[in-house]
């Protein structure tokens, strides 16, 4: 059974930083693209596939970022730990959202979500 267990998140002032982690069990991530997505307030009924893409990170380590994340967020992966990370710097109130990790390209396996709140 594939499981994605997230940690990190929290409440920080604008300009602060947070790091999210996503540990995957039940499969190896070495050959899969993985992603970070977010669900902003007011979109709780949004389908998972409609969540905003924050970052996609490929098996070789290269990454693609959504416009809101470019220059501020960095996605990385540790195959030895079967773990995905998202380092978020210079956070803004507009980054307030629930962040989810995902295995594959909008695959069926999602983390449980991490609340990130940025206050001004």
């Amino acid at each position: 059974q594939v499981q994605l267990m997230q940690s990190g998140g929290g409440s920080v002032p604008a300009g602060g930083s947070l790091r999210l982690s996503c540990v995957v069990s039940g499969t190896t991530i070495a050959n899969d693209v993985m992603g970070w997505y977010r669900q902003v307030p007011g979109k709780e009924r949004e389908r998972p596939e409609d969540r905003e893409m924050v970052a996609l990170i490929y098996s070789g380590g290269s990454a693609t970022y959504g416009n809101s994340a470019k220059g501020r967020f960095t996605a990385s992966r540790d195959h030895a730990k079967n773990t995905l990370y998202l380092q978020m710097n210079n956070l803004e109130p507009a980054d307030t959202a629930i962040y989810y990790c995902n295995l594959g390209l909008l695959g069926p396996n999602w983390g449980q979500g991490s609340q990130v709140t940025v206050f001004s």
Side-chain angles (χ1 to χ4, degrees):
Q1 181 181 0
V2 176
Q3 290 187 322
L4 283 67
M5 184 61 66
Q6 295 181 220
S7 60
S11 182
V12 295
S17 297
L18 285 171
R19 189 175 85 153
L20 304 181
S21 299
C22 174
V23 179
V24 180
S25 59
T27 189
T28 177
I29 68 171
N31 297 317
D32 279 309
V33 60
M34 294 198 69
W36 288 101
Y37 297 80
R38 69 186 187 186
Q39 184 180 63
V40 300
K43 293 192 175 182
E44 290 77 11
R45 293 173 181 257
E46 189 174 57
R47 297 178 303 173
E49 57 267 35
D50 292 331
R51 292 168 179 162
E52 178 187 351
M53 188 275 286
V54 176
L56 292 173
I57 182 165
Y58 302 93
S59 58
S62 61
T64 300
Y65 297 93
N67 287 335
S68 61
K70 288 178 183 177
R72 300 187 299 126
F73 295 4
T74 302
S76 61
R77 54 199 293 163
D78 185 332
H79 291 170
K81 296 181 179 180
N82 229 34
T83 300
L84 178 71
Y85 302 99
L86 184 67
Q87 177 68 42
M88 303 183 290
N89 297 328
N90 195 22
L91 283 160
E92 303 169 351
D95 295 317
T96 295
I98 301 173
Y99 287 72
Y100 297 89
C101 58
N102 177 249
L103 177 64
L105 190 61
L106 284 175
N109 300 110
W110 293 85
Q112 81 276 21
S114 296
Q115 177 68 51
V116 172
T117 302
V118 185
F119 56 91
S120 56

